[in-house]
Amino acid sequence: MSQMNRRRALQLLAALGTTGLAAGCGSDSESTTPTTSASPIKIGLIAPESGPNQAIGKEITNGFQLFLSLNEQRLGGHPVTLVTADEGVTAKTGQAAVDGLLKQGVLALTGVVSSVVMSAIRDTVETARVPLIGSNASPLSLQSVVYIWRTSYVLDEPGRALGQYLRQTLPTTSRIALIAANNPSSRDVMEGFRRNYESSERQLPKDVIWTTNDPNAPKSAYSAPIQEALRLHPDAIFCHFTGKAAVQFIKQLYDEGYRGSVFAPGFLTEGAVLGELDDGENGQDRTHILKYGIETALNYSPDLNNTANRVFASAYRKTFTASPTTYAMASYDAAQVLDKAIRLAGENPNPQQVNLALGKIGQIDSPRGAWQFNQPRTPQQKWYLRRVQLDGRMLSNVVINELGTLG
């Protein structure tokens, strides 16, 4: 929460147990009732409403709306109209979404799931001088920006976090196969992993084994590349897949006979993936996952034990009857960031004033743990090692270690 202290958070938790989202939240210093004279503002949210990234789009929409619900539909004391636009699946549809929101006079933008879209809209956002608080897409190539901030991560960071960890824990003789969907995000992830794993004593295969980038590809589409990876006789596999592709890849990996450790950015098992992989107490997929292990690196897990996360996760589960993901958390934090910046910008903020204030907001008390923006306008934050384990009767991502701070 925005500068939430422990007492206020516990009050909100108690309220959630009886009155849902009717309780507001904020710091004691911001607890005065907002004046009705505060000027209304518009915030534009860009997210895919269909296609392979629809589930992520829904989660970032949920995260932003949750913060508004907990704060009387206000940001920085101003009543908010949240205007949504369909990101679609291409650079062209993403560009159209941004153009439409800018024509409506939004004070700031948020969202964006696809790295392709983020790269395509960069110049438009910078020229318009309207701040964009990206809550997912964050390609490594997006540098030297003034009006684009991100509350998620830079895409090479999960690879860097795991590369450093495995360099410290695996024997120097370990053979690791690299396999991923052929897209810009995977290339960033693989670059980060190679950078932090390789040394004079440790080398990775020269080439990544690339698979189809079609999220709707049948399970058999991964058979040939997996067989190519297994011919390397790997001790471990490092991979990058998300959503439906992650489900199909993991199923095919075990069907092809792999019986070793899997390491990946947390997107491999985030969202609905584990639910689709969980085939029950006597299922082969569950048995293989629990026996051989899937460990992932991510900046968030819903089981993190801090006050802000207890409030956020409780409210999210109560509202959406599901556990929050990193996508929802980053969008919730995007709303937190805007709340603080708009408050700093004054009574009648314009986009340029809000952008300037974004550089002054300091530390964010986040469900992921405290973080702050660095010079490239991305989070300086902790990364966590998660292992797929049983939580009751369900497969779940459970934090087993901290991987350090990046950013």
Side-chain angles (χ1 to χ4, degrees):
M1 290 293 163
S2 176
Q3 297 179 336
M4 175 174 286
N5 62 28
R6 181 175 178 81
R7 180 170 65 84
R8 180 61 177 143
L10 292 176
Q11 289 172 346
L12 178 56
L13 279 171
L16 284 170
T18 57
T19 61
L21 296 182
C25 62
S27 70
D28 287 349
S29 63
E30 298 172 357
S31 61
T32 56
T33 302
T35 61
T36 57
S37 61
S39 57
I41 59 175
K42 290 182 182 179
I43 303 295
L45 189 147
I46 306 155
E49 297 174 2
S50 60
N53 289 328
Q54 180 182 10
I56 299 176
K58 181 62 174 176
E59 287 166 12
I60 67 173
T61 301
N62 288 349
F64 202 94
Q65 288 180 332
L66 180 63
F67 186 90
L68 291 179
S69 296
L70 294 172
N71 287 272
E72 301 177 338
Q73 299 297 319
R74 292 173 179 261
L75 293 176
H78 295 259
V80 173
T81 298
L82 185 64
V83 187
T84 61
D86 185 4
E87 178 180 328
V89 295
T90 67
K92 184 176 180 179
T93 56
Q95 183 69 61
V98 172
D99 290 343
L101 291 172
L102 291 175
K103 288 179 181 177
Q104 295 186 61
V106 295
L107 181 65
L109 299 162
T110 189
V112 188
V113 170
S114 166
S115 291
V116 171
V117 169
M118 180 64 86
S119 297
I121 66 176
R122 168 191 173 145
D123 290 347
T124 298
V125 172
E126 294 287 289
T127 300
R129 300 174 67 207
V130 173
L132 164 60
I133 318 300
S135 52
N136 188 63
S138 187
L140 185 59
S141 60
L142 192 69
Q143 299 178 3
S144 302
V145 288
V146 176
Y147 282 86
I148 300 178
W149 308 70
R150 287 147 285 171
T151 57
S152 51
Y153 39 74
V154 179
L155 273 167
D156 69 333
E157 290 179 345
R160 288 170 55 197
L162 272 174
Q164 182 173 324
Y165 168 73
L166 294 180
R167 186 174 66 184
Q168 295 169 347
T169 57
L170 290 183
T172 57
T173 56
S174 297
R175 294 185 299 272
I176 302 177
L178 308 177
I179 184 167
N182 191 359
N183 58 47
S185 298
S186 291
R187 287 190 281 276
D188 284 349
V189 166
M190 290 295 166
E191 180 179 334
F193 182 71
R194 189 181 296 277
R195 184 192 318 164
N196 276 25
Y197 180 81
E198 288 190 325
S199 66
S200 58
E201 296 180 335
R202 296 176 180 272
Q203 293 298 311
L204 294 167
K206 181 180 178 181
D207 297 321
V208 176
I209 299 169
W210 299 110
T211 74
T212 176
N213 191 41
D214 181 1
N216 297 312
K219 188 169 66 170
S220 58
Y222 301 102
S223 177
I226 287 173
Q227 291 175 12
E228 182 181 352
L230 296 187
R231 285 194 289 271
L232 299 175
H233 303 289
D235 301 296
I237 283 179
F238 180 78
C239 60
H240 182 237
F241 296 92
T242 64
K244 293 180 180 179
V247 175
Q248 299 291 36
F249 171 77
I250 293 172
K251 285 179 174 292
Q252 188 64 38
L253 185 65
Y254 293 129
D255 286 351
E256 293 294 335
Y258 181 66
R259 299 295 183 265
S261 299
V262 176
F263 299 96
F267 325 117
L268 183 74
T269 56
E270 192 74 349
V273 173
L274 288 181
E276 295 186 44
L277 285 171
D278 198 344
D279 49 6
E281 187 173 344
N282 298 313
Q284 286 190 342
D285 288 336
R286 176 191 275 202
T287 298
H288 292 148
I289 289 170
L290 294 176
K291 182 174 181 180
Y292 300 106
I294 297 179
E295 294 185 3
T296 63
L298 204 59
N299 60 347
Y300 176 69
S301 182
D303 66 338
L304 289 175
N305 186 20
N306 62 65
T307 300
N309 189 48
R310 287 193 293 272
V311 172
F312 166 68
S314 175
Y316 195 93
R317 291 186 180 108
K318 185 176 181 67
T319 307
F320 304 111
T321 62
S323 290
T325 62
T326 188
Y327 314 118
M329 177 278 298
S331 189
Y332 179 85
D333 273 3
Q336 279 210 76
V337 162
L338 282 170
D339 180 59
K340 293 167 73 75
I342 292 168
R343 194 176 300 277
L344 284 173
E347 294 183 1
N348 296 294
N350 62 42
Q352 295 76 43
Q353 290 169 335
V354 172
N355 195 69
L356 185 63
L358 284 165
K360 302 176 181 179
I361 60 177
Q363 194 171 83
I364 303 297
D365 186 12
S366 166
R368 76 187 84 177
W371 66 271
Q372 61 187 11
F373 282 121
N374 57 17
Q375 188 174 5
R377 289 162 160 69
T378 62
Q380 184 178 26
Q381 62 186 327
K382 286 183 180 179
W383 284 82
Y384 303 95
L385 182 67
R386 314 182 312 172
R387 185 179 179 89
V388 178
Q389 297 179 347
L390 285 178
D391 182 7
R393 295 183 177 182
M394 299 177 60
L395 292 177
S396 182
N397 295 298
V398 178
V399 172
I400 60 174
N401 203 353
E402 290 187 7
L403 295 176
T405 299
L406 293 175

